[in-house]
Amino acid sequence: MSGITTNQTDQRLRSQSNEMHIERPFWLIGNPDNRRTKGLQQARLQCGMSPAEVIPYPDLLKTWRQGGSLADVVNPSLQRKATAEVAPLIRIDAPGEQWDVERELLSLGAKDGDPNTESLSRESFTAEEALELRQDWGRIYAPAQWFNGWKGCLKRIGREAGELWPSARFLNDPEDIATMFDKRKCQQHLSAHGVDVPPVLQSPERILSYSELRAAMQTSGMYRVFVKLACGSAASGVVAYQINPRTGAEIAVTTVGMTVVKGRPVFYNEGRMQRYTRREEIETLLDWLCAEGAQVERWMAKASYGSRVFDIRQLVAGGHAGHAIVRLSKTPITNLHLRNERMLPEEAGVDGYRQGLVQTAAQTAMGAFPNSWSAGIDVMLSGGDNPRAYVLDVNPFGDLLYHVQHNGLGTYEWEMDILRKEPYKHA
């Protein structure tokens, strides 16, 4: 399960480049020093491809704030080539792991008197206040406002790129990325396209509080649910919540930590699991989560290996199912950064039939986004002799997987090798 580092592999990939078509310019909107950017650039080098031209998020967001446009942060020589020669293929990468970018997105998502901006957040900042925030490591700042900014960022990238370079293509369409990021819309979209997803807790109105959540659970008889921050990633804002219908006792297991600052609750994304049993704490947590925007779905029993449950991150690119990693946990939340264990499917006893179910579910989910090329699809298998595969999440940036290979290649090398052999074309 080691990464691609040998000279032999490098030589094989470079020799294959002699067969390639005229290389299309590849632009990357991302954070220049980020591990994703570095991994992608290394992969392109190993595949004998020219480096991606990086458009930095900090430069782009600052330029917008100062009245400029995407054209102002793209090298003029690249713009001329994009117009006169071959149109670029643009990859939008994750904006995270850089505080300046987080502040800019919070600023971009500020309501500042706009009644049409969707936000029921219990915490908000003006555009100016957001830019002055000091980083408090792990704190979850106004997620609904951040998501407003992220959606605005994606919409503007799509609009300006279309106006400036009409023949340019996105690896993943900006509108698709916004939908994938919104767990509510994504699960609805997948279900409408015939993809099996966990059942959603039904309620005639949007659930905005702990009391409304409890009432909906009681009415539906659904006493075990996952409450997920609609725009969360890396298990941020995920709560496994259950009620004993006989006694009313309740338990919430989550990555969210809480404290009080100046009389107000503040929430953190912890690196370890938290367990809450006191009603006051659970009410505070779920009031916040529901107000920020939450997806509430049935907590379904996952397949298990030994004493641990698991799900599978399945990478799909260009219609191909590639790298797969099993994420095992003794808790309901399986994300690997929580010190959960990883295995290859065969190591965890996932036979060929079950792997086929996972791959088919992931490819079908990706097929629901015909204008997008790759994603990491989180899939769970039900237990028993007749398992079913359910898609839990579609991560447009889900190709950062360590220590796993497919056809002898790491994730970025595999994706770039596909692009080299199969030029990306969509309407």
Side-chain angles (χ1 to χ4, degrees):
M1 294 176 66
S2 60
I4 299 297
T5 58
T6 65
N7 290 333
Q8 183 178 11
T9 301
D10 290 353
Q11 291 171 359
R12 173 167 60 85
L13 290 170
R14 287 194 180 100
S15 66
Q16 291 172 344
S17 70
N18 293 329
E19 306 168 6
M20 70 183 288
H21 54 90
I22 296 175
E23 187 179 337
R24 187 175 195 170
F26 191 92
W27 296 359
L28 172 66
I29 301 176
N31 291 324
D33 296 327
N34 188 274
R35 53 188 172 159
R36 297 173 181 274
T37 300
K38 291 178 178 178
L40 183 71
Q41 295 287 42
Q42 180 63 27
R44 290 183 67 82
L45 175 64
Q46 290 177 333
C47 289
M49 305 169 81
S50 60
E53 299 289 347
V54 180
I55 301 170
Y57 275 119
D59 295 353
L60 178 59
L61 291 164
K62 183 178 179 180
T63 297
W64 281 344
R65 180 161 46 84
Q66 295 175 343
S69 73
L70 179 59
D72 297 313
V73 292
V74 176
N75 187 294
S77 66
L78 295 178
Q79 295 192 48
R80 288 193 296 271
K81 290 180 180 179
T83 301
E85 298 177 12
V86 183
L89 181 60
I90 305 173
R91 172 180 166 119
I92 301 174
D93 217 329
E97 301 181 4
Q98 186 157 335
W99 176 239
D100 286 349
V101 175
E102 296 296 299
R103 289 192 301 191
E104 289 281 1
L105 290 174
L106 282 166
S107 179
L108 186 62
K111 291 185 68 173
D112 284 7
D114 181 1
N116 296 317
T117 303
E118 179 188 357
S119 177
L120 297 170
S121 173
R122 300 195 174 195
E123 178 183 49
S124 62
F125 306 95
T126 67
E128 291 185 357
E129 287 172 344
L131 295 173
E132 297 299 322
L133 288 172
R134 291 176 175 264
Q135 186 173 20
D136 184 0
W137 188 258
R139 181 173 169 180
I140 306 173
Y141 288 91
Q145 180 172 333
W146 178 92
F147 191 39
N148 283 334
W150 176 228
K151 288 187 293 185
C153 175
L154 291 167
K155 185 175 182 179
R156 187 161 179 178
I157 288 172
R159 183 181 72 248
E160 291 188 353
E163 292 170 350
L164 293 163
W165 309 287
S167 57
R169 291 293 177 265
F170 287 97
L171 202 60
N172 281 353
D173 182 79
E175 291 186 10
D176 284 354
I177 293 174
T179 298
M180 293 175 190
F181 242 85
D182 188 329
K183 291 178 171 56
R184 299 160 299 186
K185 290 185 177 180
C186 186
Q187 295 302 79
Q188 292 170 5
H189 181 78
L190 292 174
S191 182
H193 285 77
V195 179
D196 285 336
V197 297
V200 174
L201 178 64
Q202 298 298 318
S203 174
E205 302 290 339
R206 178 176 166 185
I207 296 172
L208 299 176
S209 68
Y210 165 85
S211 60
E212 292 175 4
L213 173 64
R214 293 263 308 200
M217 293 172 68
Q218 180 71 37
T219 300
S220 67
M222 191 182 291
Y223 296 106
R224 286 164 50 93
V225 296
F226 271 103
V227 186
K228 301 178 179 180
L229 186 63
C231 61
S233 60
S236 178
V238 174
V239 180
Y241 176 55
Q242 57 184 318
I243 304 169
N244 185 316
R246 183 175 58 83
T247 66
E250 53 192 325
I251 301 173
V253 177
T254 180
T255 60
V256 179
M258 298 185 291
T259 189
V260 176
V261 176
K262 297 180 179 180
R264 297 184 61 183
V266 174
F267 303 89
Y268 290 85
N269 191 21
E270 301 282 359
R272 55 190 176 84
M273 302 304 297
Q274 311 292 309
R275 180 184 175 93
Y276 299 105
T277 56
R278 294 177 53 239
R279 178 177 181 135
E280 296 80 3
E281 291 180 322
I282 295 175
E283 184 172 8
T284 298
L285 171 65
L286 293 178
D287 272 348
W288 166 75
L289 193 58
C290 291
E292 293 290 341
Q295 163 80 354
V296 185
E297 59 192 38
R298 183 185 297 277
W299 175 353
M300 300 179 66
K302 296 179 180 178
S304 61
Y305 178 73
S307 61
R308 293 159 296 177
V309 297
F310 69 83
D311 57 27
I312 297 174
R313 166 66 61 84
Q314 176 67 62
L315 179 59
V316 177
H320 305 281
H323 303 67
I325 196 75
V326 174
R327 312 183 303 181
L328 301 108
S329 178
K330 293 183 178 180
T331 77
I333 300 175
T334 59
N335 296 70
L336 294 175
H337 75 286
L338 298 173
R339 301 181 181 87
N340 290 319
E341 187 175 354
R342 66 171 66 219
M343 284 187 179
L344 295 176
E346 53 269 23
E347 293 175 327
V350 182
D351 59 25
Y353 172 69
R354 286 170 171 78
Q355 289 185 48
L357 291 178
V358 170
Q359 291 174 354
T360 298
Q363 289 170 307
T364 304
M366 198 70 233
F369 298 95
N371 290 329
S372 290
W373 189 79
S374 71
I377 317 293
D378 294 338
V379 184
M380 65 156 280
L381 290 167
S382 61
D385 295 332
N386 296 298
R388 292 182 64 179
Y390 296 87
V391 172
L392 305 176
D393 200 12
V394 179
N395 187 334
F397 313 126
D399 51 4
L400 182 65
L401 298 175
Y402 296 112
H403 313 303
V404 59
Q405 296 181 350
H406 179 71
N407 293 338
L409 301 173
T411 54
Y412 290 137
E413 291 89 357
W414 178 68
E415 288 179 313
M416 293 302 103
D417 194 44
I418 293 174
L419 278 181
R420 184 184 58 78
K421 295 174 179 176
E422 304 173 12
Y424 181 43
K425 299 177 182 178
H426 73 65

